[in-house]
Amino acid sequence: MGSAGVVALVSAWVAQSSRVTVLTGAGISTDSGIPDFRGPKGVWTRNPAAQHRFTLDRYVADREVRVEAWRNRRSHAAWTAQPNAGHRALVDLERAGRLRALVTQNVDELHQRAGSSPDLVVEIHGTMRQAECLSCGDRWPMHHVLDRVDEGDSDPSCGRCGGLLKSATISFGQSLRPEVWRAAVSAARDCDLFLAVGSSLQVYPAAGLCDTAIDAGARLVVVNAEPTPYDGFAAAVLREPISSVLPALVDPALR
Ligand SMILES: [Zn+2]
């Protein structure tokens, strides 16, 4: 079957589905100008050491690691990125009442900026738009903390308890939030179609949501530029650019 045939087939599945759970990874945001991690031009493909520099243990132990993290944060591409047609197609799916949940590995909040309901977005790796105290859990808007960095506070601490502040994202070596992870698992269990979009499906436990969905009887569809370990378990695999293929899947299904 040609790729147009596969798109039409998957679009028909979307049309038949009443509970679609979507898992998104960095690939959905590359068309918004945010580099991914494991793709051919990915941050970690080009610099494998970078992923080990910011483990939670090193962040806590080493002031220099924190200073570097705060200094680099302002230049992140996500601050100026805009949602793309891929994000917007998932908003359309939600408005048609078909979306069970939108589980994302991304921390850029582009789904919410596109118009996805925050209630349906499950941010398993947290958000870069907030900072969190590692001691008391208090949260602060990231831009407030970055203003302090700009004013010369190179390692800002919690205004409430003096503890270490960190981006409210899940670092290497840091556990997922149990209640967030439970929401992701129940969305994978309670869907009839599971779309894995722009994820290399190499990071666990996120990738294991595909197993959960398949075990619960859902169809798995993988949309990713590069092969993934789950392609062999998928009912269909699409390699087209995400910002064009998601509207091509969703628009005809909602007509
Ligand atoms: Zn605190």
Short mmCIF file of all heavy atoms in Angstrom, two decimals, residues 132-140 157-165, ligand 1:
data_model
loop_
_atom_site.label_atom_id
_atom_site.label_comp_id
_atom_site.label_asym_id
_atom_site.label_seq_id
_atom_site.Cartn_x
_atom_site.Cartn_y
_atom_site.Cartn_z
N GLU A 132 10.54 24.78 39.99
CA GLU A 132 10.01 24.10 41.16
C GLU A 132 11.11 24.00 42.22
O GLU A 132 12.27 23.77 41.89
CB GLU A 132 9.56 22.69 40.75
CG GLU A 132 8.87 21.93 41.86
CD GLU A 132 8.40 20.58 41.36
OE1 GLU A 132 9.23 19.83 40.83
OE2 GLU A 132 7.21 20.29 41.49
N CYS A 133 10.71 24.17 43.47
CA CYS A 133 11.66 24.00 44.57
C CYS A 133 11.83 22.52 44.85
O CYS A 133 10.86 21.79 45.05
CB CYS A 133 11.15 24.71 45.82
SG CYS A 133 12.19 24.37 47.26
N LEU A 134 13.08 22.06 44.87
CA LEU A 134 13.35 20.64 45.11
C LEU A 134 13.12 20.26 46.57
O LEU A 134 13.05 19.08 46.90
CB LEU A 134 14.78 20.29 44.69
CG LEU A 134 15.08 20.35 43.19
CD1 LEU A 134 16.56 20.10 42.92
CD2 LEU A 134 14.21 19.36 42.42
N SER A 135 12.99 21.26 47.46
CA SER A 135 12.76 20.95 48.88
C SER A 135 11.27 21.00 49.24
O SER A 135 10.73 20.04 49.76
CB SER A 135 13.52 21.93 49.77
OG SER A 135 14.90 21.81 49.53
N CYS A 136 10.61 22.15 48.96
CA CYS A 136 9.22 22.30 49.42
C CYS A 136 8.21 22.12 48.30
O CYS A 136 7.00 22.08 48.55
CB CYS A 136 9.02 23.64 50.12
SG CYS A 136 8.94 25.06 49.02
N GLY A 137 8.66 22.02 47.05
CA GLY A 137 7.73 21.77 45.95
C GLY A 137 7.02 23.01 45.45
O GLY A 137 6.20 22.91 44.53
N ASP A 138 7.30 24.16 46.03
CA ASP A 138 6.65 25.39 45.57
C ASP A 138 7.02 25.65 44.11
O ASP A 138 8.13 25.33 43.69
CB ASP A 138 7.13 26.57 46.44
CG ASP A 138 6.00 27.54 46.74
OD1 ASP A 138 4.83 27.13 46.62
OD2 ASP A 138 6.29 28.70 47.10
N ARG A 139 6.06 26.22 43.37
CA ARG A 139 6.30 26.47 41.95
C ARG A 139 6.27 27.95 41.65
O ARG A 139 5.52 28.70 42.25
CB ARG A 139 5.26 25.75 41.11
CG ARG A 139 5.53 24.27 41.04
CD ARG A 139 4.71 23.65 39.92
NE ARG A 139 5.18 22.30 39.67
CZ ARG A 139 5.13 21.70 38.48
NH1 ARG A 139 4.62 22.33 37.45
NH2 ARG A 139 5.58 20.48 38.33
N TRP A 140 7.09 28.35 40.69
CA TRP A 140 7.21 29.74 40.27
C TRP A 140 7.19 29.80 38.76
O TRP A 140 7.74 28.92 38.11
CB TRP A 140 8.56 30.32 40.76
CG TRP A 140 8.84 30.05 42.20
CD1 TRP A 140 9.23 28.86 42.73
CD2 TRP A 140 8.73 30.97 43.28
NE1 TRP A 140 9.37 28.98 44.10
CE2 TRP A 140 9.07 30.27 44.46
CE3 TRP A 140 8.37 32.32 43.38
CZ2 TRP A 140 9.07 30.87 45.72
CZ3 TRP A 140 8.39 32.91 44.63
CH2 TRP A 140 8.72 32.20 45.78
N SER A 157 17.47 30.63 44.48
CA SER A 157 16.91 29.64 45.41
C SER A 157 15.45 29.98 45.70
O SER A 157 14.96 31.05 45.36
CB SER A 157 17.73 29.61 46.70
OG SER A 157 17.81 30.92 47.24
N CYS A 158 14.77 29.03 46.35
CA CYS A 158 13.34 29.17 46.63
C CYS A 158 13.09 30.36 47.54
O CYS A 158 13.71 30.49 48.61
CB CYS A 158 12.84 27.88 47.28
SG CYS A 158 11.13 27.95 47.84
N GLY A 159 12.14 31.24 47.15
CA GLY A 159 11.82 32.40 47.94
C GLY A 159 11.09 32.05 49.22
O GLY A 159 10.95 32.88 50.12
N ARG A 160 10.62 30.84 49.32
CA ARG A 160 9.86 30.43 50.49
C ARG A 160 10.73 29.71 51.52
O ARG A 160 10.69 30.03 52.71
CB ARG A 160 8.71 29.52 50.02
CG ARG A 160 7.70 29.23 51.08
CD ARG A 160 6.48 28.53 50.46
NE ARG A 160 5.99 27.51 51.34
CZ ARG A 160 5.36 26.41 50.94
NH1 ARG A 160 5.16 26.19 49.66
NH2 ARG A 160 4.94 25.54 51.81
N CYS A 161 11.53 28.74 51.04
CA CYS A 161 12.29 27.92 52.01
C CYS A 161 13.79 27.97 51.78
O CYS A 161 14.56 27.39 52.56
CB CYS A 161 11.79 26.48 51.98
SG CYS A 161 12.43 25.50 50.61
N GLY A 162 14.22 28.61 50.69
CA GLY A 162 15.67 28.68 50.45
C GLY A 162 16.23 27.46 49.74
O GLY A 162 17.43 27.37 49.51
N GLY A 163 15.37 26.49 49.39
CA GLY A 163 15.83 25.26 48.72
C GLY A 163 16.27 25.53 47.28
O GLY A 163 16.15 26.65 46.77
N LEU A 164 16.79 24.48 46.65
CA LEU A 164 17.25 24.61 45.27
C LEU A 164 16.07 24.66 44.32
O LEU A 164 15.13 23.87 44.44
CB LEU A 164 18.12 23.40 44.88
CG LEU A 164 19.45 23.22 45.58
CD1 LEU A 164 20.13 21.93 45.08
CD2 LEU A 164 20.35 24.43 45.33
N LEU A 165 16.11 25.60 43.38
CA LEU A 165 15.10 25.64 42.33
C LEU A 165 15.62 24.91 41.10
O LEU A 165 16.81 24.93 40.82
CB LEU A 165 14.79 27.09 41.94
CG LEU A 165 14.03 27.96 42.93
CD1 LEU A 165 13.79 29.34 42.32
CD2 LEU A 165 12.70 27.31 43.32
ZN ZN B 1 11.07 25.83 48.77
#
